[in-house]
Amino acid sequence: MTEREHVRVAVIGSGFGGLGAAVRLRRQGITDFVILERAGSVGGTWRDNDYPGCACDVPSHLYSFSFAPNPDWPRNFSGQPHIRAYLERVTDTFGLRPHLRFHAEVRGLRWCNDALHWEIDTARGPLTAEVVVSATGPLSDPKIPDVPGLDTFPGKVFHSARWDHDFDLRGKRVAMIGTGASAIQIVPAIQPEVGRLTLFQRTPAWVLPRADREISAAERWLHTHVPATRAARRGLLWGIRELQVSAFTKRPDELGLVEFVAKSHLKKAVKDPGLRARLTPDYRIGCKRILLSNTYYPALVQPNVDVVAAGLAEVRGNVLIGSDGSETEADAIVFGTGFRVTDLPIAHRVTGAHGTTLAEEWRDGMESLRGATAAGFPNFLTIIGPNTGLGNSSMILMIESQLNYLADFMRQLDVLGGRMALSARPSAVQEWTRRLQRRMARTVWTTGGCDSWYLDAHGRNTTAWPGTTAEFRKVTRQVDLAEYEVLRVPAARTGGGTPERTTGGTADGNPGVKVDGPGGGPAEGSAGKAAGQSEEVAV
């Protein structure tokens, strides 16, 4: 990047969100953009998380872009290598390589009120952009707890998202900290080769059977040559999950049958009543993320595995002290303790129109308009922003809905014309947040009796979406200008100064601003396409 490079759009991150945004920009006819990636390749969380056993817990045909279907997924639930390879193919198929800037970590962004653009400091030099799309994702920065004495541990320490493949675990005494989605994949993958495996379990998880199998060659041939079968499969997977949403968001008591299935799954694998009691949660299923595995419980009953029903409280040399007072010697510690989800690192690097950072504005909890824009941060959009997470379906559905919103945001700027920006009105953000939190009060995440990563430090759920993916697609289909301030610099002005503010109208009052999203409908499995929509491209 040159010292004075200016682009219309800067996209931060090259995971599903960033690559999806880039594809959508190109389909809008916008080619003046860059993708800023801190690493040396695309993939986001599917590049960083390459630990043993890493795989997706959403069916493959639903965990892919509707505009870039993959008829050749090898399994119902694909592993990390296949998902990363898919993202590489998306990058090549849609011609995104020229837009990529690798090793360009964003160190800071500052909004310039005079010029109505973002000044961006990256590891490869500065640039400016009219619009910034933050697609860093909530699962990008690992969280390791501050454990007293951890710095004195003489062995190896790493997080599941930063796996040290050079360290040989064979025959070692390994401590696994955490029992989340990563841990239940890592434990059965490394158990056969380690000398001893100790699992520190602060809270047991609800685990359901994983209906995984190899997708046959005949099925793959059919999905390739008869696309309607692929669309039908995707639509069925989507529909089943949509029907489950009300139990999570409105009627948690209906989850009792699911709990029965989970308890039966546990009882079948774990015969020891003492161990089974330690592995049985005391909160409503769904309050924390429901996990899928056929191998986790069988691994825990092996003779070289111990389960400590407590968190890691202290480290004394190579001795790990549990919060229950137990002591365990270890040669390596693997943290499967999640990510900074409610305290996004990028928020500390973004300074808005009022000279405050996004983290400062979010000190009482994250909030944004329709999961995309925050008050005081003009022309700044987030993919997978506050309250866009899901508890039972594919995040790609939510990402594509946000791409619809991004596309209409750019079209609104074009329709309005001139040098301008859109800034979310504080009243609109507050009203949107108030409505969400009112709905959140009856969800299983609030009433289920657990403390989960869905909740921030104030006990408020700022991560999950309390509705269906179809509903989210509807509310993000287009930008409502009444929810925004329009900032404009008069064309005749050549110097600086404060930009003019004009009252936003409604999106319906502007011609040609409505845009349908990729896939043409909420199910995304439809064989048709929206008006003006490009044909899907199989990758």
Side-chain angles (χ1 to χ4, degrees):
M1 292 182 292
T2 62
E3 184 177 354
R4 297 179 180 274
E5 182 175 10
H6 177 81
V7 294
R8 186 177 183 194
V9 184
V11 178
I12 308 174
S14 66
F16 269 99
L19 296 179
V23 171
R24 198 59 193 269
L25 289 172
R26 285 185 62 89
R27 287 191 162 187
Q28 288 289 111
I30 299 171
T31 58
D32 183 16
F33 69 89
V34 295
I35 308 169
L36 303 173
E37 171 54 56
R38 65 184 178 184
S41 60
V42 302
T45 190
W46 293 106
R47 175 200 59 237
D48 296 341
N49 287 268
D50 60 352
Y51 57 78
C54 184
C56 189
D57 58 6
V58 175
S60 304
H61 283 275
L62 197 59
Y63 200 79
S64 49
F65 291 122
S66 65
F67 55 81
N70 177 17
D72 205 35
W73 288 115
R75 303 192 65 83
N76 280 351
F77 295 90
S78 291
Q80 178 266 347
H82 296 104
I83 298 174
R84 184 177 180 184
Y86 169 79
L87 291 173
E88 292 281 0
R89 292 197 301 274
V90 167
T91 303
D92 292 327
T93 300
F94 292 94
L96 304 182
R97 296 284 175 192
H99 301 278
L100 282 161
R101 304 289 188 273
F102 291 127
H103 305 295
E105 180 175 7
V106 173
R107 296 167 173 167
L109 304 94
R110 178 175 293 274
W111 175 255
C112 179
N113 286 310
D114 293 341
L116 291 188
H117 67 211
W118 285 95
E119 298 173 347
I120 308 172
D121 176 30
T122 82
R124 290 183 54 181
L127 74 155
T128 58
E130 296 170 25
V131 176
V132 170
V133 180
S134 177
T136 58
L139 306 182
S140 57
D141 288 84
K143 180 177 64 177
I144 294 181
D146 185 15
V147 180
L150 183 60
D151 57 343
T152 69
F153 183 68
K156 197 69 177 179
V157 178
F158 52 87
H159 190 278
S160 60
R162 301 291 185 269
W163 195 270
D164 189 340
H165 291 278
D166 293 329
F167 183 75
D168 189 356
L169 293 176
R170 287 177 297 181
K172 301 293 196 304
R173 298 168 298 179
V174 179
M176 181 78 225
I177 315 300
T179 53
S182 299
I184 72 158
Q185 295 179 345
I186 293 171
V187 167
I190 68 174
Q191 175 271 320
E193 65 181 48
V194 302
R196 185 133 212 105
L197 178 59
T198 302
L199 176 68
F200 281 80
Q201 172 194 265
R202 188 173 59 181
T203 307
W206 285 107
V207 182
L208 289 173
R210 183 182 181 90
D212 192 21
R213 66 171 178 84
E214 183 178 351
I215 298 177
S216 68
E219 289 174 278
R220 298 199 299 271
W221 183 94
L222 196 62
H223 293 334
T224 300
H225 295 89
V226 187
T229 62
R230 183 186 64 231
R233 184 173 191 154
R234 181 180 175 93
L236 178 62
L237 292 169
W238 169 82
I240 291 172
R241 281 154 182 79
E242 291 289 272
L243 292 174
Q244 298 169 349
V245 171
S246 64
F248 287 85
T249 60
K250 298 178 182 179
R251 295 180 288 273
D253 288 343
E254 294 182 355
L255 292 167
L257 178 60
V258 185
E259 284 189 7
F260 175 79
V261 174
K263 288 180 178 178
S264 299
H265 183 52
L266 171 60
K267 186 176 182 179
K268 181 180 179 180
V270 181
K271 304 303 180 183
D272 177 9
L275 177 58
R276 193 163 62 238
R278 279 179 281 162
L279 296 173
T280 302
D282 61 358
Y283 55 87
R284 174 66 76 185
I285 194 169
C287 184
K288 287 177 175 283
R289 184 174 176 179
I290 300 175
L291 307 181
L292 306 177
S293 178
N294 299 327
T295 56
Y296 178 59
Y297 288 145
L300 295 184
V301 301
Q302 298 305 309
N304 67 332
V305 177
D306 295 313
V307 177
V308 176
L312 177 61
E314 184 183 356
V315 177
R316 299 173 188 165
N318 70 336
V319 178
L320 312 186
I321 312 299
S323 57
D324 61 352
S326 62
E327 297 186 1
T328 302
E329 292 187 355
D331 303 309
I333 302 175
V334 180
F335 283 96
T337 46
F339 301 85
R340 295 176 60 182
V341 176
T342 58
D343 176 30
L344 300 178
I346 189 67
H348 295 268
R349 306 181 187 188
V350 184
T351 303
H354 306 303
T356 54
T357 67
L358 189 55
E360 290 170 332
E361 293 295 324
W362 283 351
R363 60 185 175 275
D364 295 324
M366 300 188 301
E367 57 182 29
S368 65
L369 178 60
R370 303 179 189 273
T373 55
F377 295 82
N379 284 11
F380 183 87
L381 296 94
T382 301
I383 306 295
I384 314 184
N387 290 114
T388 60
L390 296 175
N392 75 314
S393 193
S394 172
M395 279 306 301
I396 312 306
L397 304 174
M398 302 295 280
I399 289 173
E400 289 200 28
S401 292
Q402 293 200 287
L403 300 184
N404 292 349
Y405 199 76
L406 166 64
D408 199 45
F409 192 97
M410 300 304 298
R411 292 185 66 176
Q412 293 284 10
L413 291 176
D414 288 339
V415 169
L416 292 168
R419 294 174 56 195
M420 64 175 48
L422 295 177
S423 183
R425 293 180 180 276
S427 59
V429 176
Q430 292 165 7
E431 174 60 17
W432 176 259
T433 303
R434 184 188 65 79
R435 287 161 51 193
L436 284 181
Q437 292 304 317
R438 185 175 66 239
R439 294 178 59 180
M440 201 68 72
R442 57 181 178 177
T443 66
V444 69
W445 308 306
T446 302
T447 64
C450 73
D451 181 18
S452 73
W453 59 264
Y454 297 126
L455 308 179
D456 63 18
H458 306 284
R460 192 175 68 161
N461 190 328
T462 58
T463 60
W465 167 247
T468 65
T469 62
E471 182 184 1
F472 188 73
R473 169 154 293 198
K474 181 179 179 180
V475 300
T476 55
R477 189 173 294 278
Q478 61 186 35
V479 170
D480 180 358
L481 282 183
E483 297 179 330
Y484 286 87
E485 286 184 315
V486 180
L487 311 181
R488 184 192 303 269
V489 174
R493 178 177 292 162
T494 57
T498 303
E500 291 183 347
R501 281 176 163 77
T502 60
T503 302
T506 63
D508 292 337
N510 291 303
V513 297
K514 184 176 181 181
V515 56
D516 288 324
E524 298 195 6
S526 171
K529 62 181 186 295
Q533 178 77 25
S534 301
E535 294 286 353
E536 64 181 27
V537 179
V539 298

